[in-house]
Amino acid sequence: MPPDVSVSVIAYCKLVLHLSKYPHCAVNGVLLAKKPTKENRSLHFVDVIPLFHLALELTPMLEVAMTQIESYCSQQGLIIAGYYHAGAVIGDPSPTFIAKRIADKICENLSDGCLFMVNNNKLKQLEESEIYRIYCRHDGKWEIKDQKVTVEEDGMPIASALVDAQVYDQLVDFDNHLDNITLDWKNTFVQEHIERVVPQ
Amino acid sequence: MRNRKSRFLTQFLTRKDKMAYSMSVAEAKAFLRKVREDQIRCSKKIVDIWEEVLVKNSFSLGEEVWLVYEQVCLAALDCAQLDIAEGCYQALKAQFPNSLRVRKLEGMILEAEEEYDRAMAIYEDILEKDETNAIATKRIIAILKAQNKIQDAVEKLNKYLKEHSLDTEAWLELCDMYLHELDYNKAAFCIEECILSNPHNHLYHQKLGEIKYSQCEYQEARSYFAHAAKLNPNNMRALFGLHLSATNLVSSQKGTQKTENARHAAWAAKQIKDRYKTQLGKNRSGDVKIVEDMLEALKMSSS
């Protein structure tokens, strides 16, 4: 049985903002989780690092990004446990060859790693449903995970509100970082935006 | 839940109002002209400026108004604000009833409505009247792409490039389509065409390096990355690529070649570190550490 999955509000918002910043491109990124233990294998995704929007099929900058993110994760006690992928066109969101290959790589470190395939159609109704379908590895194949709700409470309306406010303009992915290394792919500003809208 | 949501929204709407563009008509005009000439894609801003500043002052644009209508129409399509696009198109159609350039906008509005067959018919009609109309051909390719008919799009684009072999934009598009199909050899060929017509553009050399590296051809990748870094010493992708390909070569080689590549890798690593240190400064020493750790990790994996 694959473990339960939960996605924090901040992780969900960063994923949605990345898609909204580049609606005309295929985009991808990774999801970071707290290190699971032997007793509790459930995956709680606490953060997202947006990767690319220019060319998802080229490997050198992916290696650069992954190695940097790994060293960041080891500082923070996190682990790369998921990969998200959104195609450029609206349509069938079943896993592509590249998506599976990158997700396979993540599973080498963590066998419970997940693949999040984005359904572009759902971007129209951000408040109503989660925009991805989750796949888990089972006997060497990627199979749909049977879990409807993964995002923490209020994640969807908050993500939708951030998109309305065009917060995505400020989102930085790894392509942006490589164009200008002073731009920070950790996107800490998103947290501040969420805190501003969520009544504490 | 519903109440909370509406509370978020009111907070945002009030903030959004403050963001409104306090631009004069002259400034707005100048901004749109600059964006048009430099071909910058900032569609949302164009539509906002149109709606907030120019729409009630369109008479002050003089003859330029037609160019602005066309610009706003395209920007509005990008933002899925079809009513604005339609308004601009109608104004242009009334002024230029026989223009093929205006006809193309009609096709693009249909594309935005996913009326692909009707849009296709318009473009084919344009090509009948003017068979060298490059934009109509490109729109047809875009429709095929939107319908996920990548093979057909590739075929059509190849045919187009036989007649327009200097169109680097089209070569880059074809390159991306081949990459999407994971045909790295043909993708590399497209970039070689771009290099032939623009031998001093560092981005082409960098991209060819990235393709060669993806094919595990590290020797070739290294020389393309090195060339890109020479043409633009601040191209970070080229520096990282040079470092990665040299590091990979170190682990597979022996003797002088090995020491040579170790030297290349060390040089690139130093360039990368220096740039992060000077540009990020002391406040972000944690981020510099991440990059240093990364370079160290790559070095370890090669030795």
Side-chain angles (χ1 to χ4, degrees):
Chain A
M1 266 296 278
D4 267 353
V5 167
S6 59
V7 178
S8 74
V9 173
I10 180 130
Y12 191 72
C13 285
K14 284 187 188 176
L15 195 158
V16 169
L17 290 175
H18 192 207
L19 293 165
S20 312
K21 183 172 181 183
Y22 298 106
H24 56 294
C25 302
V27 300
N28 65 358
V30 289
L31 297 99
L32 314 183
K34 291 207 172 111
K35 270 202 179 120
T37 55
K38 269 201 183 113
E39 300 78 52
N40 183 3
R41 278 166 63 213
S42 67
L43 286 176
H44 179 49
F45 290 101
V46 292
D47 206 355
V48 151
I49 310 287
L51 290 178
F52 302 110
H53 63 273
L54 290 176
L56 274 48
E57 297 85 5
L58 299 174
T59 56
M61 294 311 120
L62 180 67
E63 273 180 45
V64 170
M66 291 300 239
T67 337
Q68 284 198 39
I69 295 167
E70 265 165 23
S71 91
Y72 168 70
C73 282
S74 62
Q75 281 177 13
Q76 306 283 322
L78 300 172
I79 184 164
I80 301 175
Y83 169 77
Y84 70 85
H85 190 106
V89 291
I90 291 171
D92 180 21
S94 50
T96 60
F97 176 78
I98 286 284
K100 282 192 270 194
R101 234 178 66 180
I102 299 175
D104 283 341
K105 208 80 192 145
I106 287 172
C107 288
E108 285 175 12
N109 278 332
L110 179 80
S111 55
D112 285 334
C114 300
L115 169 58
F116 292 66
M117 289 301 300
V118 173
N119 182 350
N120 288 325
N121 260 322
K122 304 256 172 159
L123 280 167
K124 289 178 205 153
Q125 319 114 5
L126 276 179
E127 292 141 64
E128 282 152 40
S129 56
E130 296 181 6
I131 54 167
Y132 45 66
R133 213 190 265 159
I134 302 178
Y135 291 77
C136 292
R137 240 170 93 103
H138 186 71
D139 288 340
K141 278 196 198 118
W142 286 97
E143 289 177 1
I144 293 187
K145 185 175 164 55
D146 186 26
Q147 185 187 341
K148 287 278 171 304
V149 183
T150 59
V151 185
E152 282 178 351
E153 206 197 333
D154 285 344
M156 291 185 287
I158 294 172
S160 161
L162 294 186
V163 171
D164 287 344
Q166 295 172 44
V167 174
Y168 50 77
D169 281 344
Q170 304 162 50
L171 187 96
V172 174
D173 67 10
F174 224 88
D175 268 325
N176 301 138
H177 173 77
L178 289 166
D179 287 335
N180 172 1
I181 53 174
T182 61
L183 299 175
D184 186 1
W185 43 263
K186 296 194 290 295
N187 290 301
T188 38
F189 76 93
V190 175
Q191 182 68 44
E192 293 152 31
H193 274 280
I194 293 174
E195 275 160 19
R196 238 178 279 165
V197 280
V198 181
Q200 296 293 329
Chain B
M1 188 82 167
R2 193 159 280 274
N3 281 337
R4 247 179 118 177
K5 160 73 181 161
S6 59
R7 215 154 66 227
F8 300 142
L9 277 187
T10 29
Q11 277 182 356
F12 269 117
L13 289 175
T14 45
R15 203 156 353 119
K16 230 179 187 174
D17 283 344
K18 278 181 217 147
M19 265 171 34
Y21 293 95
S22 51
M23 256 183 190
S24 70
V25 174
E27 281 169 337
K29 248 168 89 171
F31 176 82
L32 290 191
R33 194 179 302 146
K34 171 129 187 56
V35 170
R36 214 160 51 227
E37 279 162 11
D38 297 350
Q39 299 190 325
I40 301 168
R41 189 171 182 171
C42 54
S43 308
K44 181 75 190 146
K45 206 167 169 184
I46 294 171
V47 174
D48 286 351
I49 289 175
W50 168 253
E51 279 197 289
E52 284 167 35
V53 187
L54 288 177
V55 79
K56 30 187 198 296
N57 296 303
S58 58
F59 56 87
S60 66
L61 286 165
E63 278 302 301
E64 203 177 337
V65 74
W66 309 113
L67 287 173
V68 172
Y69 272 133
E70 185 187 37
Q71 181 181 19
V72 174
C73 180
L74 292 171
L77 287 174
D78 234 357
C79 305
Q81 286 179 282
L82 296 188
D83 49 335
I84 296 177
E86 183 70 33
C88 294
Y89 161 69
Q90 290 299 347
L92 287 165
K93 195 181 163 195
Q95 177 72 12
F96 309 103
N98 298 319
S99 158
L100 293 182
R101 191 159 152 184
V102 174
R103 197 87 209 284
K104 177 204 76 181
L105 294 178
E106 186 189 358
M108 290 180 77
I109 292 173
L110 289 168
E111 277 187 72
E113 291 166 343
E114 294 180 44
E115 295 273 359
Y116 294 129
D117 292 344
R118 286 171 61 198
M120 196 73 106
I122 287 180
Y123 299 137
E124 273 159 8
D125 184 46
I126 293 178
L127 285 171
E128 223 161 81
K129 295 194 176 87
D130 170 16
E131 57 177 329
T132 58
N133 193 309
I135 290 175
T137 312
K138 287 185 179 179
R139 289 322 310 165
I140 289 175
I141 294 164
I143 291 179
L144 293 171
K145 224 180 135 186
Q147 292 175 316
N148 235 342
K149 296 178 184 162
I150 303 290
Q151 294 298 343
D152 294 346
V154 165
E155 199 180 306
K156 197 103 195 161
L157 191 46
N158 265 314
K159 205 173 140 209
Y160 168 86
L161 278 164
K162 283 215 171 81
E163 284 147 29
H164 304 81
S165 62
L166 292 176
D167 188 340
T168 44
E169 188 193 36
W171 281 115
L172 287 175
E173 180 67 39
L174 186 60
C175 171
D176 285 343
M177 286 186 196
Y178 281 133
L179 284 178
H180 186 265
E181 301 289 292
L182 303 176
D183 193 336
Y184 292 98
N185 281 328
K186 286 190 177 144
F189 175 83
C190 297
I191 298 292
E192 282 163 5
E193 287 289 332
C194 295
I195 292 182
L196 280 179
S197 47
N198 289 290
H200 299 299
N201 187 328
H202 64 109
L203 295 171
Y204 299 150
H205 291 275
Q206 166 222 313
K207 188 149 187 179
L208 192 47
E210 290 182 89
I211 294 172
K212 293 291 174 191
Y213 187 96
S214 305
Q215 293 180 285
C216 301
E217 290 172 20
Y218 302 124
Q219 190 81 41
E220 278 187 71
R222 199 203 69 196
S223 64
Y224 286 116
F225 282 130
H227 202 78
K230 196 173 158 194
L231 290 169
N232 176 6
N234 289 316
N235 181 332
M236 292 308 291
R237 289 183 181 84
L239 291 174
F240 274 120
L242 177 57
H243 179 73
L244 280 180
S245 31
T247 309
N248 269 295
L249 288 169
V250 167
S251 57
S252 64
Q253 288 174 330
K254 284 192 187 115
T256 46
Q257 278 184 321
K258 190 183 182 95
T259 28
E260 183 91 329
N261 275 309
R263 216 165 44 87
H264 290 311
W267 179 84
K270 183 174 180 317
Q271 299 294 318
I272 293 167
K273 259 190 257 179
D274 285 353
R275 278 171 185 67
Y276 272 90
K277 268 189 196 149
T278 44
Q279 292 189 36
L280 266 57
K282 287 216 171 68
N283 297 340
R284 288 176 61 191
S285 52
D287 292 347
V288 178
K289 177 91 177 40
I290 291 175
V291 176
E292 287 173 343
D293 285 355
M294 172 208 132
L295 294 169
E296 201 55 40
L298 289 172
K299 203 170 147 193
M300 299 277 282
S301 65
S302 77
S303 55

